[in-house]
Amino acid sequence: MTADEVAAAVDVARLPLAPRNPLPLRELVKLVRRLDTGQEAIRDAGGPVTRIQLGPRKLVPPIVAVMSPAGMRDVLGRNDASSDRCIIHEEVRQMAGDSLFVLPNDQWRPRKRALQPVFTKSSVRAFGGHMSRAAQAFVDRWPGGGDVDLDVECRRIAMQSLGRSVLGIDLNERGETIARCMHVASSYTADRALRPVRAPRWLPTPARRRARTAVGAMRTITDEMVKACRDDPTCDAPLVQALIAATDPQTGRPLSDHEISNDLLIFMLAGHDTTATALTYALWVLGHHPGVQDRVAAEAAAIGDRELTPDDVPRLGYTLQVLHEAVRLCPPAAGVARLVTRDIAVDGYRVEAGSLVALGLYALHHDPGLWPDPMVFDPDRFSPENVKARDRWQFLPFLGGGRPCIGEHFARLETTLAMATIVRAVRIRSSGAEFPVEVPFTTVAKGPIMARVDVRG
């Protein structure tokens, strides 16, 4: 059943409220701010659907943590107006302007209609092949092997690929500035969104000034590229050109330059960190599993000694399984949130209007009741037969339902090509036993992720 069919069959008013989480308030405040592993402690104490009240309801809305497949379906799978963007999205909107990521439902629909054709599988193939070249550049930088920081290298790969795919330029020329600006902006918005009491937006705090300066620096880049493409229609900036050509199929309305710049800004903010983290973790975990790594290398080598292209991805089935298991263990987005606009049923409970629903993707992907030995790396979890037998709402690295990640095809294609290109050429041996992360907004590696690379014979 869909979420709408479930809702139609349930008398929401007669359902019990989601049970209140029994943990002490001081501990809950800490756990809520720990956006990945904190979810597991909240789930273990209160169950897969649990209510958290951090202060008086008039000042602080209830948080309902949802970490079950049925709960995900009931929130994400709806096509009505029962949930919308929340305080996190509003903070991003205030800082970076209107974009597909932050727009409320009524404004999001026409923007989505205009952008959707740009991000279909077939369209992505037209501008999504730069990752192989960026990954090969990494291989070429280490002709004799050596000790490398996978985090630094994968960020460089993602920056080069994103720049060429989206803007037609090598963003590594401004990579240090962009990376610093992204970290400042994402940390500020996430910190504000998670504070029970926030300073007024009009107050010019030092953190707010730094974040505005950071966003301004990135917006300068996107504005320049939109103008360059307007001035020269032959400019090699595939995604910018596609966005300029995009129109709402119902109204025929094109996107304004300001709207295009805003969406490019969010693609840079979200696309760089998520792709870099997914690739870094995938290579790091392969560095601890040489047998799996050799199987990925053999699959890529069987295609031939040439540059891998988007058309090769269907032949990289096992490599894609590795990627899926990597993003299960280390989801680039640990969770998302929605504001409930009217009472809804979520996995057998009533969630009241005005509540903030926190969808715990990290806890969902690490639930031992859903994933036996959840901390064990096992790409066979994503074999075709296992995927077919699994609840579709159990694995949501790119969300699902009415507002999934529009860049899903792009991210999956790019990361698969990069992983195959690198592992085909070099053997990786990871140094550390742990993969440290921080979650300012999306999940990012924390500190150097060291590994030894050796050229395959």
Side-chain angles (χ1 to χ4, degrees):
M1 295 177 71
T2 67
D4 289 338
E5 289 170 337
V6 171
V10 171
D11 183 353
V12 177
R14 301 180 67 175
L15 293 176
L17 288 175
R20 188 158 183 161
N21 196 282
L23 291 174
L25 180 61
R26 180 176 296 182
E27 186 172 353
L28 282 170
V29 169
K30 293 179 181 179
L31 292 173
V32 166
R33 296 181 66 83
R34 207 164 73 213
L35 295 178
D36 50 359
T37 55
Q39 297 175 16
E40 294 185 290
I42 290 171
R43 179 200 64 209
D44 292 345
V49 180
T50 181
R51 181 165 43 96
I52 300 167
Q53 190 67 56
L54 298 180
R57 186 182 174 92
K58 290 183 178 181
L59 298 177
V60 184
I63 299 173
V64 178
V66 176
M67 297 163 281
S68 69
M72 298 290 173
R73 175 204 64 199
D74 291 343
V75 177
L76 295 175
R78 309 178 71 98
N79 292 317
D80 58 20
S82 59
S83 67
D84 211 332
R85 306 282 89 175
C86 66
I87 183 62
I88 296 174
H89 305 96
E90 186 58 29
E91 290 297 335
V92 175
R93 188 181 189 186
Q94 289 293 324
M95 185 56 56
D98 289 343
S99 67
L100 189 73
F101 176 67
V102 301
L103 285 172
N105 289 333
D106 58 341
Q107 298 174 51
W108 169 82
R109 291 187 183 92
R111 183 77 67 89
K112 170 71 178 305
R113 288 195 300 263
L115 291 178
Q116 186 62 59
V118 177
F119 287 95
T120 61
K121 286 184 179 180
S122 58
S123 296
V124 163
R125 286 177 181 155
F127 60 80
H130 292 281
M131 196 63 136
S132 295
R133 268 155 274 168
Q136 186 61 46
F138 158 69
V139 171
D140 294 342
R141 282 195 295 274
W142 299 92
D147 294 322
V148 304
D149 182 345
L150 291 177
D151 179 43
V152 169
E153 294 294 342
C154 290
R155 285 182 177 279
R156 184 177 296 165
I157 292 168
M159 191 75 76
Q160 180 178 338
S161 174
L162 186 67
R164 290 296 180 189
S165 300
V166 174
L167 304 175
I169 61 176
D170 186 353
L171 286 179
N172 277 309
E173 297 171 0
R174 312 187 200 183
E176 186 176 335
T177 298
I178 292 172
R180 183 177 66 253
C181 290
M182 287 193 294
H183 180 77
V184 169
S186 60
S187 296
Y188 170 80
T189 53
D191 183 67
R192 267 191 62 88
L194 292 172
R195 285 182 178 275
V197 179
R198 290 174 288 275
R201 291 196 181 98
W202 52 262
L203 189 65
T205 64
R208 184 169 181 79
R209 285 197 297 269
R210 287 194 296 270
R212 283 202 172 279
T213 300
V215 170
M218 290 188 292
R219 189 181 296 284
T220 297
I221 297 172
T222 57
D223 285 347
E224 285 175 357
M225 287 312 304
V226 175
K227 184 178 185 305
C229 289
R230 288 289 189 193
D231 294 342
D232 179 9
T234 66
C235 182
D236 182 22
L239 182 55
V240 182
Q241 299 286 15
L243 292 175
I244 288 174
T247 59
D248 183 334
Q250 290 190 13
T251 66
R253 177 185 176 275
L255 299 173
S256 70
D257 287 2
H258 185 65
E259 289 171 331
I260 293 172
S261 187
N262 282 349
D263 279 320
L264 290 172
L265 182 62
I266 290 299
F267 295 153
M268 287 171 61
L269 281 167
H272 172 266
D273 276 348
T274 54
T275 302
T277 299
L279 181 59
T280 302
Y281 184 83
L283 294 176
W284 175 84
V285 77
L286 284 175
H288 285 294
H289 295 82
V292 175
Q293 185 179 167
D294 287 345
R295 186 171 170 183
V296 170
E299 183 176 71
I303 294 175
D305 186 18
R306 58 169 175 78
E307 179 183 305
L308 299 176
T309 73
D311 291 336
D312 294 320
V313 171
R315 299 172 63 184
L316 296 170
Y318 187 71
T319 306
L320 187 59
Q321 288 180 217
V322 170
L323 172 62
H324 285 163
E325 177 68 344
V327 296
R328 180 192 70 82
L329 283 165
C330 184
V336 295
R338 296 286 188 269
L339 177 66
V340 176
T341 56
R342 63 178 176 81
D343 289 8
I344 60 172
V346 177
D347 201 2
Y349 296 104
R350 175 165 48 95
V351 175
E352 296 178 298
S355 298
L356 186 68
V357 174
L359 299 165
L361 302 180
Y362 185 93
L364 177 75
H365 293 168
H366 291 78
D367 188 339
L370 301 172
W371 308 92
D373 298 319
M375 297 308 297
V376 172
F377 174 69
D378 180 11
D380 286 335
R381 298 181 200 269
F382 292 93
S383 66
E385 56 272 20
N386 284 336
V387 169
K388 187 176 181 180
R390 184 175 299 132
D391 188 321
R392 61 171 291 201
W393 297 100
Q394 185 174 326
F395 178 62
L396 299 170
F398 302 100
L399 298 182
R403 291 191 70 157
C405 172
I406 197 170
E408 174 180 355
H409 298 314
F410 179 77
R412 192 177 271 122
L413 179 147
E414 292 276 85
T415 313
T416 302
L417 288 175
M419 188 183 357
T421 298
I422 292 169
V423 173
R424 178 179 65 177
V426 301
R427 180 172 285 104
I428 301 168
R429 290 179 292 164
S430 299
S431 302
E434 301 293 332
F435 188 87
V437 300
E438 53 186 349
V439 193
F441 193 67
T442 58
T443 304
V444 294
K446 184 179 181 181
I449 307 295
M450 301 305 300
R452 173 77 189 184
V453 298
D454 294 297
V455 177
R456 289 184 180 269

